[in-house]
Amino acid sequence: MALETEFSNYITVAAYLDSAIAPVFRSSVVMPNLMHLVNFQGKSDSVKLRKAGSVSATAATESTTHATSEYTETSPATLLAAEIKVYLELSDKAIKFAQASVDALAREAGLACAQKFDTDALALLDSLNGGTQVGTSGADCTPGILLQASYTVRAANVGSPLVYVLHPVQIYDVQDDLITTTASAWGNSQMLTLMNGQPPASNGFVGAFMGIPVYQSTNTESVNTNEDWAGGCFAPEFALAAGFAGDVSTKIGYNVAKGVTEIGVSLWYDVKEYNDTAGVSIETDK
């Protein structure tokens, strides 16, 4: 076709893709919605998290200097921005004959960045609660293990809402166990929407167990010599933290010598444990 416009104003196209990728990032993976989120300010690549749990009340005595609760810049974690990137080359022939498009590949690259973020965040679950997990290595996940996990967090005086993030195998084990259980409590649909039979939502939500939301992710870490899956139970606002330096960024160029469109998609972030006692790892058989 004569006078066909194949490439135009790369900055505009890249900005369009950035705006299209950002919502996908938050809706297609689990962890961005289940963490304490902060932004890197200005030109700084670091941010200190507020120190939680450092203030306590004690009995006062008349005419006596009261004990001081010191609050310094000492923080449970300092987030340091680091970059992840996907670089793609799309050939002219692929565009013309393989139904390949810049926007489709850029969106796929953005999703790859989101999956990388999810994997990095979920790898932190294994270190919560001082690295002491619930569950038995090499054994299936059970309803009792989920209850033990929520009790462990509650016993640490964490009063905020909790969530479970589990590997599909762990969820299957619990569902299978419940199917063979005749206790009337498990027949209460309000207690176990985990058994509603609906497919996972785009953000991994599959239902609730004893009133606690359950999310599914294949990005959970495989740990120890038995390669157990390490899911977890934690308080979203207090257990883990993430810092972002902007949204997913897309850059597009054209290499005339090679005859390829170059696509670079990147994201700057860091993830850290925020409050160690605000969660616990659930490690069970693969």
Side-chain angles (χ1 to χ4, degrees), residues 12-212:
T12 300
V13 173
Y16 158 74
L17 290 174
D18 287 349
S19 65
I21 290 171
V24 174
F25 182 93
R26 291 188 178 275
S27 66
S28 61
V29 288
V30 175
M31 294 306 290
N33 303 305
L34 301 178
M35 303 177 73
H36 178 80
L37 302 180
V38 298
N39 293 316
F40 294 97
Q41 301 297 322
K43 298 296 183 180
S44 175
D45 64 352
S46 68
V47 60
K48 286 183 177 292
L49 298 174
R50 180 180 63 84
K51 186 176 182 180
S54 61
V55 178
S56 59
T58 58
T61 303
E62 184 179 8
S63 301
T64 301
T65 301
H66 195 63
T68 302
S69 294
E70 293 185 355
Y71 190 93
T72 67
E73 70 170 356
T74 302
S75 177
T78 298
L79 297 169
L80 299 172
E83 184 183 27
I84 62 168
K85 181 180 290 186
V86 177
Y87 174 73
L88 298 166
E89 290 185 347
L90 178 59
S91 71
D92 292 345
K93 187 172 183 179
I95 293 175
K96 285 185 175 296
F97 303 112
Q99 300 183 355
S101 66
V102 172
D103 59 342
L105 285 177
R107 286 171 182 258
E108 190 171 341
L111 182 57
C113 289
Q115 294 289 342
K116 169 63 174 168
F117 173 89
D118 231 25
T119 300
D120 290 346
L122 286 166
L124 298 174
L125 293 178
D126 185 44
S127 64
L128 290 172
N129 194 39
T132 301
Q133 77 281 352
V134 299
T136 302
S137 178
D140 290 348
C141 191
T142 66
I145 289 173
L146 297 191
L147 287 173
Q148 181 187 359
S150 62
Y151 167 77
T152 299
V153 182
R154 294 291 188 216
N157 203 30
V158 177
S160 65
L162 304 180
V163 297
Y164 294 107
V165 178
L166 304 170
H167 189 274
V169 169
Q170 294 178 307
I171 293 175
Y172 166 78
D173 287 341
V174 171
Q175 291 173 328
D176 184 58
D177 205 31
L178 293 173
I179 289 171
T180 59
T181 301
T182 58
S184 58
W186 303 131
N188 187 332
S189 60
Q190 298 302 312
M191 300 296 287
L192 291 171
T193 59
L194 183 62
M195 300 295 287
N196 64 14
Q198 298 299 312
S202 60
N203 66 347
F205 178 73
V206 293
F209 176 82
M210 302 296 283
I212 299 177

Side-chain angles (χ1 to χ4, degrees), residues 83-86 109 113 247-251 264-268:
E83 184 183 27
I84 62 168
K85 181 180 290 186
V86 177
C113 289
D247 288 321
V248 176
S249 174
T250 308
K251 294 181 175 63
V265 179
S266 64
L267 178 67
W268 289 83

